[in-house]
Amino acid sequence: MTFPPFAVARYGVYVAVAIAAISVWLGHQAGASLDWAVMRAVFFFVIVAALGFAAEAVLTVGYQPRPRRAANPSTDQETHDA
């Protein structure tokens, strides 16, 4: 399975933004002041974004792409048989 570059990190940041927004909304609904809810959301954003970038690093560090094969393997067989 192949991923485009930074796909996991990009989705990790999207999830981090969603979690931060939900954190602000839930904190504000629970009666917390807006500044405290935003500070809590920034904390959650940093943690989840770091997890996304760490997952991207784990998936890509040391990755060696396989060499591509010839487009038509039957032509390779004909050249080796002659």
Side-chain angles (χ1 to χ4, degrees):
M1 178 190 276
T2 60
F3 290 111
F6 295 107
V8 176
R10 179 176 44 241
Y11 291 128
V13 170
Y14 293 157
V15 169
V17 167
I19 288 176
I22 291 170
S23 175
V24 168
W25 182 74
L26 286 174
H28 194 63
Q29 292 295 321
S33 63
L34 187 61
D35 60 342
W36 187 83
V38 170
M39 285 189 341
R40 185 177 80 168
V42 168
F43 174 74
F44 283 120
F45 175 82
V46 168
I47 296 296
V48 175
L51 287 173
F53 280 103
E56 179 73 32
V58 166
L59 291 173
T60 58
V61 169
Y63 172 71
Q64 296 290 329
R66 294 182 183 170
R68 293 189 174 199
R69 292 187 173 196
N72 191 354
S74 62
T75 58
D76 285 344
Q77 290 293 343
E78 292 171 2
T79 58
H80 292 294
D81 291 337

Coordinates of all heavy atoms in Angstrom, one line a residue:
M1 N 0.8 -1.2 0.0 CA 0.0 0.0 0.0 C 0.9 1.2 0.0 O 1.9 1.3 0.8 CB -0.9 0.0 1.2 CG -1.8 1.2 1.3 SD -2.6 1.4 2.9 CE -4.0 0.4 2.7
T2 N 0.6 2.2 -0.8 CA 1.4 3.4 -0.9 C 0.5 4.6 -0.5 O -0.6 4.7 -0.9 CB 2.0 3.6 -2.3 OG1 0.9 3.7 -3.2 CG2 2.9 2.5 -2.7
F3 N 1.2 5.5 0.2 CA 0.5 6.8 0.6 C 1.2 7.9 -0.2 O 2.4 7.9 -0.4 CB 0.7 7.0 2.1 CG -0.1 6.1 2.9 CD1 0.5 5.1 3.7 CD2 -1.5 6.2 3.0 CE1 -0.2 4.3 4.5 CE2 -2.2 5.3 3.8 CZ -1.6 4.4 4.6
P4 N 0.5 8.9 -0.5 CA 1.1 10.1 -1.0 C 2.0 10.8 0.1 O 1.7 10.5 1.3 CB 0.0 11.1 -1.5 CG -1.3 10.4 -1.0 CD -1.0 9.0 -0.5
P5 N 2.9 11.6 -0.2 CA 3.8 12.2 0.8 C 2.9 13.0 1.8 O 2.1 13.7 1.4 CB 4.7 13.1 0.1 CG 4.8 12.5 -1.3 CD 3.4 11.9 -1.5
F6 N 3.2 12.8 3.1 CA 2.6 13.6 4.2 C 1.1 13.3 4.3 O 0.4 14.2 4.9 CB 2.9 15.0 4.1 CG 4.3 15.4 4.3 CD1 5.1 15.8 3.2 CD2 4.9 15.2 5.5 CE1 6.5 16.0 3.4 CE2 6.3 15.5 5.7 CZ 7.0 15.9 4.6
A7 N 0.6 12.2 3.8 CA -0.9 12.0 3.9 C -1.3 11.7 5.3 O -2.3 12.3 5.8 CB -1.3 10.8 3.0
V8 N -0.5 10.9 6.0 CA -0.9 10.6 7.4 C -0.8 11.9 8.3 O -1.6 12.2 9.1 CB 0.0 9.5 8.0 CG1 -0.3 9.2 9.4 CG2 -0.2 8.2 7.1
A9 N 0.3 12.7 8.1 CA 0.4 13.9 8.8 C -0.7 14.9 8.5 O -1.2 15.6 9.4 CB 1.8 14.5 8.5
R10 N -1.1 15.0 7.2 CA -2.2 15.9 6.9 C -3.5 15.5 7.6 O -4.1 16.4 8.1 CB -2.3 15.9 5.3 CG -3.4 16.8 4.9 CD -3.6 16.9 3.3 NE -3.4 15.6 2.7 CZ -2.5 15.3 1.8 NH1 -1.6 16.2 1.5 NH2 -2.4 14.1 1.3
Y11 N -3.8 14.2 7.5 CA -5.0 13.8 8.2 C -4.9 13.9 9.7 O -5.9 14.2 10.4 CB -5.4 12.3 7.8 CG -5.8 12.2 6.4 CD1 -5.2 11.3 5.5 CD2 -6.8 13.1 5.8 CE1 -5.6 11.2 4.2 CE2 -7.2 13.0 4.5 CZ -6.6 12.1 3.7 OH -6.9 12.0 2.4
G12 N -3.7 13.8 10.2 CA -3.5 14.0 11.7 C -3.8 15.4 12.1 O -4.3 15.7 13.1
V13 N -3.3 16.4 11.2 CA -3.6 17.8 11.5 C -5.1 18.1 11.4 O -5.7 18.8 12.2 CB -2.8 18.7 10.6 CG1 -3.2 20.1 10.7 CG2 -1.3 18.6 10.9
Y14 N -5.8 17.5 10.4 CA -7.2 17.6 10.3 C -7.9 17.1 11.6 O -8.8 17.8 12.1 CB -7.8 16.9 9.1 CG -7.3 17.4 7.8 CD1 -7.4 16.6 6.6 CD2 -6.9 18.8 7.6 CE1 -7.0 17.1 5.4 CE2 -6.5 19.2 6.4 CZ -6.5 18.4 5.3 OH -6.2 18.9 4.1
V15 N -7.5 15.9 12.0 CA -8.1 15.4 13.2 C -7.8 16.2 14.4 O -8.7 16.5 15.3 CB -7.6 13.9 13.4 CG1 -8.0 13.4 14.8 CG2 -8.2 13.0 12.3
A16 N -6.6 16.8 14.5 CA -6.2 17.7 15.6 C -7.1 18.9 15.6 O -7.5 19.4 16.7 CB -4.7 18.0 15.5
V17 N -7.3 19.5 14.5 CA -8.2 20.7 14.4 C -9.6 20.3 14.9 O -10.2 21.1 15.6 CB -8.2 21.3 13.0 CG1 -9.3 22.3 12.8 CG2 -6.9 21.9 12.7
A18 N -10.1 19.2 14.4 CA -11.5 18.8 14.8 C -11.5 18.5 16.4 O -12.5 19.0 17.0 CB -11.9 17.5 14.1
I19 N -10.5 17.9 16.9 CA -10.5 17.6 18.3 C -10.4 18.9 19.1 O -11.0 19.1 20.2 CB -9.4 16.6 18.7 CG1 -9.8 15.2 18.2 CG2 -9.1 16.6 20.2 CD1 -8.7 14.2 18.4
A20 N -9.6 19.9 18.6 CA -9.4 21.2 19.3 C -10.8 21.9 19.3 O -11.2 22.5 20.3 CB -8.3 22.0 18.6
A21 N -11.5 21.9 18.1 CA -12.8 22.6 18.1 C -13.8 22.0 19.0 O -14.5 22.7 19.7 CB -13.3 22.6 16.6
I22 N -13.8 20.6 19.0 CA -14.7 20.0 19.9 C -14.4 20.3 21.4 O -15.3 20.4 22.2 CB -14.7 18.4 19.6 CG1 -15.4 18.2 18.3 CG2 -15.5 17.7 20.7 CD1 -15.2 16.8 17.8
S23 N -13.1 20.4 21.7 CA -12.6 20.7 23.0 C -13.1 22.0 23.5 O -13.5 22.2 24.6 CB -11.1 20.5 23.1 OG -10.7 20.9 24.4
V24 N -13.0 23.0 22.5 CA -13.4 24.4 22.9 C -14.9 24.4 23.1 O -15.4 25.0 24.1 CB -13.1 25.4 21.8 CG1 -13.8 26.7 21.9 CG2 -11.6 25.6 21.7
W25 N -15.7 23.7 22.2 CA -17.1 23.7 22.3 C -17.6 23.0 23.6 O -18.4 23.5 24.4 CB -17.7 23.0 21.1 CG -19.2 23.0 21.2 CD1 -20.1 24.0 20.9 CD2 -20.0 21.9 21.5 NE1 -21.4 23.6 21.1 CE2 -21.4 22.3 21.4 CE3 -19.8 20.6 21.8 CZ2 -22.5 21.5 21.7 CZ3 -20.9 19.7 22.0 CH2 -22.2 20.2 22.0
L26 N -17.0 21.9 23.9 CA -17.4 21.2 25.1 C -17.0 21.9 26.4 O -17.7 22.0 27.4 CB -16.7 19.8 25.2 CG -17.3 18.7 24.2 CD1 -16.5 17.5 24.3 CD2 -18.8 18.4 24.6
G27 N -15.8 22.5 26.4 CA -15.4 23.3 27.6 C -16.3 24.5 27.8 O -16.6 24.9 28.9
H28 N -16.6 25.2 26.7 CA -17.5 26.4 26.8 C -18.9 26.0 27.3 O -19.5 26.7 28.1 CB -17.5 27.1 25.5 CG -18.1 28.5 25.6 ND1 -17.5 29.5 26.3 CD2 -19.2 29.0 25.0 CE1 -18.2 30.6 26.2 NE2 -19.3 30.3 25.4
Q29 N -19.4 24.8 26.8 CA -20.7 24.4 27.2 C -20.7 24.0 28.7 O -21.7 24.0 29.3 CB -21.1 23.2 26.3 CG -21.4 23.6 24.9 CD -22.6 24.5 24.8 OE1 -23.6 24.4 25.5 NE2 -22.5 25.4 23.9
A30 N -19.6 23.5 29.2 CA -19.5 23.1 30.6 C -19.3 24.3 31.5 O -19.2 24.1 32.7 CB -18.3 22.1 30.7
G31 N -19.2 25.5 31.0 CA -19.1 26.6 31.9 C -17.7 27.2 32.0 O -17.5 28.1 32.8
A32 N -16.7 26.7 31.3 CA -15.4 27.2 31.4 C -15.3 28.5 30.6 O -16.0 28.7 29.7 CB -14.4 26.2 30.8
S33 N -14.4 29.3 31.0 CA -14.2 30.6 30.3 C -13.6 30.3 28.9 O -12.9 29.3 28.8 CB -13.3 31.6 31.1 OG -12.0 31.0 31.3
L34 N -13.8 31.2 28.0 CA -13.4 30.9 26.6 C -11.8 30.8 26.5 O -11.3 30.0 25.8 CB -13.9 32.0 25.7 CG -13.7 31.8 24.2 CD1 -14.3 30.5 23.7 CD2 -14.2 32.9 23.4
D35 N -11.1 31.7 27.3 CA -9.7 31.6 27.2 C -9.1 30.3 27.7 O -8.2 29.8 27.2 CB -9.1 32.8 27.9 CG -9.4 32.9 29.4 OD1 -10.4 32.3 29.8 OD2 -8.7 33.6 30.1
W36 N -9.7 29.8 28.8 CA -9.2 28.5 29.3 C -9.6 27.4 28.3 O -8.7 26.5 28.1 CB -9.9 28.2 30.7 CG -9.3 27.0 31.3 CD1 -8.2 26.9 32.1 CD2 -9.9 25.7 31.3 NE1 -8.0 25.6 32.5 CE2 -9.0 24.9 32.0 CE3 -11.0 25.1 30.6 CZ2 -9.2 23.5 32.1 CZ3 -11.2 23.8 30.8 CH2 -10.3 23.0 31.5
A37 N -10.7 27.4 27.7 CA -11.1 26.4 26.8 C -10.2 26.4 25.6 O -9.8 25.4 25.0 CB -12.6 26.6 26.3
V38 N -9.8 27.6 25.1 CA -8.9 27.7 23.9 C -7.5 27.2 24.3 O -6.9 26.5 23.5 CB -8.9 29.1 23.4 CG1 -7.8 29.3 22.4 CG2 -10.2 29.5 22.8
M39 N -7.1 27.5 25.5 CA -5.7 27.0 25.9 C -5.7 25.5 26.0 O -4.8 24.9 25.6 CB -5.3 27.6 27.3 CG -4.9 29.0 27.2 SD -4.2 29.8 28.7 CE -4.7 28.8 30.0
R40 N -6.8 24.9 26.5 CA -7.0 23.5 26.6 C -7.0 22.9 25.2 O -6.4 21.9 24.9 CB -8.2 23.1 27.3 CG -8.3 21.6 27.5 CD -9.5 21.3 28.3 NE -10.7 21.3 27.5 CZ -11.9 20.9 27.8 NH1 -12.1 20.4 29.1 NH2 -12.9 20.9 27.0
A41 N -7.7 23.6 24.2 CA -7.7 23.1 22.8 C -6.4 23.2 22.2 O -6.0 22.3 21.4 CB -8.7 24.0 22.1
V42 N -5.6 24.2 22.5 CA -4.2 24.2 21.9 C -3.4 23.1 22.4 O -2.6 22.5 21.7 CB -3.5 25.6 22.3 CG1 -2.1 25.6 22.0 CG2 -4.2 26.7 21.5
F43 N -3.5 22.7 23.7 CA -2.8 21.6 24.2 C -3.2 20.3 23.5 O -2.3 19.5 23.1 CB -3.1 21.5 25.7 CG -2.6 20.2 26.4 CD1 -1.2 20.1 26.6 CD2 -3.4 19.2 26.7 CE1 -0.7 19.0 27.2 CE2 -2.9 18.0 27.3 CZ -1.5 18.0 27.6
F44 N -4.5 20.1 23.3 CA -4.9 18.9 22.6 C -4.5 18.9 21.1 O -4.1 17.9 20.6 CB -6.5 18.7 22.6 CG -6.9 18.2 24.0 CD1 -7.8 18.9 24.7 CD2 -6.5 17.0 24.4 CE1 -8.2 18.4 26.0 CE2 -6.9 16.5 25.6 CZ -7.8 17.2 26.4
F45 N -4.5 20.1 20.5 CA -4.0 20.2 19.1 C -2.6 19.8 19.0 O -2.2 19.0 18.1 CB -4.2 21.6 18.6 CG -3.7 21.8 17.2 CD1 -4.4 21.4 16.1 CD2 -2.4 22.3 17.0 CE1 -3.9 21.6 14.8 CE2 -1.9 22.5 15.7 CZ -2.6 22.1 14.6
V46 N -1.7 20.3 19.9 CA -0.3 20.0 19.8 C -0.1 18.5 20.0 O 0.7 17.9 19.3 CB 0.5 20.8 20.8 CG1 1.9 20.3 21.0 CG2 0.5 22.3 20.5
I47 N -0.8 17.9 21.0 CA -0.6 16.5 21.2 C -1.0 15.6 20.0 O -0.3 14.7 19.5 CB -1.4 16.0 22.5 CG1 -0.8 16.7 23.7 CG2 -1.4 14.5 22.6 CD1 0.6 16.4 24.1
V48 N -2.2 15.9 19.5 CA -2.7 15.1 18.4 C -1.9 15.3 17.1 O -1.6 14.4 16.3 CB -4.2 15.3 18.2 CG1 -4.7 14.5 17.0 CG2 -5.0 14.9 19.4
A49 N -1.5 16.6 16.8 CA -0.7 16.9 15.6 C 0.7 16.2 15.7 O 1.2 15.6 14.8 CB -0.5 18.4 15.5
A50 N 1.2 16.2 16.9 CA 2.5 15.5 17.1 C 2.4 14.0 16.9 O 3.3 13.4 16.3 CB 3.0 15.7 18.5
L51 N 1.3 13.4 17.3 CA 1.0 12.0 17.0 C 0.9 11.7 15.5 O 1.4 10.7 15.0 CB -0.2 11.5 17.7 CG -0.1 11.3 19.2 CD1 -1.5 11.0 19.8 CD2 0.8 10.2 19.6
G52 N 0.2 12.6 14.8 CA 0.1 12.5 13.3 C 1.5 12.6 12.7 O 1.8 11.7 11.8
F53 N 2.3 13.5 13.0 CA 3.6 13.6 12.4 C 4.5 12.5 12.8 O 5.4 12.0 12.1 CB 4.3 15.0 12.8 CG 3.8 16.1 11.9 CD1 2.9 17.0 12.4 CD2 4.2 16.2 10.6 CE1 2.4 18.0 11.7 CE2 3.8 17.3 9.9 CZ 2.9 18.2 10.4
A54 N 4.4 12.0 14.1 CA 5.1 10.8 14.5 C 4.7 9.6 13.7 O 5.6 8.8 13.3 CB 5.0 10.6 16.0
A55 N 3.4 9.4 13.5 CA 3.0 8.3 12.7 C 3.5 8.4 11.2 O 3.9 7.4 10.7 CB 1.5 8.2 12.6
E56 N 3.6 9.6 10.7 CA 4.1 9.8 9.3 C 5.6 9.4 9.3 O 6.1 8.7 8.4 CB 4.0 11.2 8.9 CG 4.6 11.5 7.6 CD 3.7 10.9 6.4 OE1 2.5 10.8 6.5 OE2 4.4 10.6 5.4
A57 N 6.3 9.8 10.4 CA 7.8 9.5 10.5 C 8.0 8.0 10.6 O 8.9 7.4 9.9 CB 8.4 10.2 11.6
V58 N 7.2 7.3 11.4 CA 7.3 5.8 11.5 C 7.1 5.1 10.2 O 7.8 4.2 9.9 CB 6.4 5.3 12.6 CG1 6.3 3.8 12.6 CG2 6.9 5.8 14.0
L59 N 6.1 5.6 9.5 CA 5.8 4.9 8.2 C 6.8 5.2 7.1 O 6.9 4.4 6.2 CB 4.4 5.4 7.7 CG 3.2 4.9 8.6 CD1 1.9 5.5 8.2 CD2 3.1 3.3 8.5
T60 N 7.5 6.3 7.2 CA 8.4 6.7 6.0 C 9.9 6.6 6.3 O 10.6 6.5 5.3 CB 8.1 8.1 5.6 OG1 8.3 9.0 6.6 CG2 6.7 8.2 5.0
V61 N 10.3 6.6 7.5 CA 11.7 6.5 7.8 C 12.2 5.1 7.4 O 11.7 4.1 7.8 CB 12.0 6.8 9.3 CG1 13.5 6.5 9.6 CG2 11.8 8.2 9.6
G62 N 13.3 5.1 6.6 CA 13.9 3.8 6.2 C 13.2 3.2 5.1 O 13.5 2.0 4.7
Y63 N 12.2 3.8 4.5 CA 11.4 3.3 3.4 C 12.3 3.3 2.1 O 12.8 4.4 1.7 CB 10.1 4.0 3.2 CG 9.4 3.6 2.0 CD1 8.7 2.4 1.9 CD2 9.3 4.4 0.9 CE1 8.0 2.0 0.8 CE2 8.6 4.1 -0.3 CZ 8.0 2.9 -0.3 OH 7.3 2.5 -1.4
Q64 N 12.4 2.2 1.5 CA 13.1 2.1 0.2 C 12.1 1.6 -0.9 O 11.6 0.5 -0.8 CB 14.3 1.1 0.3 CG 15.4 1.5 1.2 CD 16.1 2.7 0.8 OE1 16.3 2.9 -0.4 NE2 16.6 3.5 1.7
P65 N 11.8 2.5 -1.8 CA 10.9 2.1 -2.9 C 11.5 0.9 -3.7 O 12.7 0.9 -3.9 CB 10.6 3.3 -3.7 CG 11.7 4.2 -3.4 CD 12.2 3.9 -2.0
R66 N 10.6 0.0 -4.1 CA 11.1 -1.1 -5.0 C 11.4 -0.6 -6.4 O 10.7 0.3 -6.9 CB 10.0 -2.1 -5.1 CG 9.7 -2.8 -3.8 CD 8.6 -3.9 -4.0 NE 8.2 -4.5 -2.7 CZ 7.2 -5.3 -2.6 NH1 6.5 -5.6 -3.6 NH2 7.0 -5.8 -1.4
P67 N 12.4 -1.1 -7.0 CA 12.7 -0.8 -8.4 C 11.5 -1.2 -9.3 O 10.9 -2.3 -9.1 CB 14.0 -1.5 -8.7 CG 14.1 -2.5 -7.7 CD 13.3 -2.1 -6.5
R68 N 11.2 -0.4 -10.2 CA 10.1 -0.7 -11.2 C 10.5 -1.8 -12.1 O 11.7 -1.8 -12.6 CB 9.7 0.6 -11.9 CG 9.1 1.6 -11.0 CD 8.5 2.7 -11.9 NE 7.8 3.6 -11.0 CZ 6.9 4.4 -11.4 NH1 6.6 4.5 -12.7 NH2 6.3 5.2 -10.5
R69 N 9.6 -2.6 -12.4 CA 9.8 -3.7 -13.4 C 9.5 -3.1 -14.8 O 8.9 -2.1 -15.0 CB 8.9 -4.9 -13.2 CG 9.3 -5.6 -11.9 CD 8.5 -6.8 -11.8 NE 8.9 -7.6 -10.6 CZ 8.6 -8.8 -10.5 NH1 7.8 -9.5 -11.3 NH2 9.1 -9.5 -9.4
A70 N 10.0 -3.9 -15.8 CA 9.7 -3.5 -17.2 C 8.2 -3.4 -17.4 O 7.4 -4.2 -16.9 CB 10.4 -4.4 -18.1
A71 N 7.8 -2.6 -18.3 CA 6.3 -2.4 -18.6 C 5.8 -3.7 -19.3 O 4.7 -4.0 -19.1 CB 6.1 -1.2 -19.5
N72 N 6.6 -4.3 -20.1 CA 6.1 -5.5 -20.8 C 7.1 -6.6 -20.6 O 8.2 -6.7 -21.2 CB 6.0 -5.2 -22.3 CG 5.3 -6.3 -23.1 OD1 5.0 -7.3 -22.5 ND2 5.1 -6.0 -24.4
P73 N 6.8 -7.5 -19.7 CA 7.8 -8.6 -19.3 C 8.0 -9.6 -20.5 O 9.0 -10.2 -20.5 CB 7.2 -9.3 -18.2 CG 5.7 -8.9 -18.1 CD 5.6 -7.6 -18.9
S74 N 7.1 -9.7 -21.4 CA 7.3 -10.6 -22.5 C 8.5 -10.2 -23.4 O 9.2 -11.0 -24.0 CB 6.1 -10.8 -23.4 OG 5.7 -9.5 -24.0
T75 N 8.7 -8.9 -23.5 CA 9.9 -8.4 -24.4 C 11.2 -8.7 -23.7 O 12.2 -9.0 -24.3 CB 9.8 -6.9 -24.6 OG1 9.7 -6.2 -23.4 CG2 8.6 -6.6 -25.5
D76 N 11.2 -8.7 -22.3 CA 12.4 -9.1 -21.6 C 12.8 -10.6 -21.9 O 13.9 -10.9 -22.0 CB 12.3 -8.9 -20.1 CG 12.4 -7.4 -19.8 OD1 12.9 -6.6 -20.6 OD2 12.0 -7.0 -18.7
Q77 N 11.8 -11.4 -21.9 CA 12.0 -12.9 -22.1 C 12.5 -13.1 -23.5 O 13.4 -14.0 -23.7 CB 10.7 -13.6 -21.9 CG 10.3 -13.7 -20.5 CD 11.2 -14.6 -19.6 OE1 12.0 -15.3 -20.1 NE2 11.2 -14.3 -18.3
E78 N 12.0 -12.4 -24.5 CA 12.5 -12.6 -25.9 C 13.9 -12.2 -26.0 O 14.7 -12.8 -26.7 CB 11.6 -11.7 -26.8 CG 10.2 -12.3 -26.9 CD 9.3 -11.3 -27.7 OE1 9.8 -10.3 -28.2 OE2 8.1 -11.6 -27.8
T79 N 14.4 -11.1 -25.4 CA 15.8 -10.7 -25.5 C 16.7 -11.7 -24.8 O 17.8 -11.9 -25.2 CB 16.0 -9.3 -24.9 OG1 15.6 -9.3 -23.5 CG2 15.2 -8.3 -25.7
H80 N 16.3 -12.3 -23.7 CA 17.1 -13.3 -23.0 C 17.2 -14.6 -23.7 O 18.1 -15.4 -23.6 CB 16.7 -13.5 -21.5 CG 16.8 -12.3 -20.7 ND1 18.1 -11.8 -20.4 CD2 16.0 -11.4 -20.1 CE1 18.0 -10.7 -19.6 NE2 16.7 -10.5 -19.4
D81 N 16.1 -15.0 -24.4 CA 16.1 -16.3 -25.1 C 17.0 -16.3 -26.4 O 17.5 -17.3 -26.8 CB 14.7 -16.6 -25.6 CG 13.8 -16.9 -24.3 OD1 14.4 -17.3 -23.3 OD2 12.6 -16.8 -24.4
A82 N 17.2 -15.1 -27.0 CA 18.0 -15.1 -28.2 C 19.4 -15.3 -28.1 O 20.1 -15.4 -27.1 CB 17.7 -13.7 -28.9

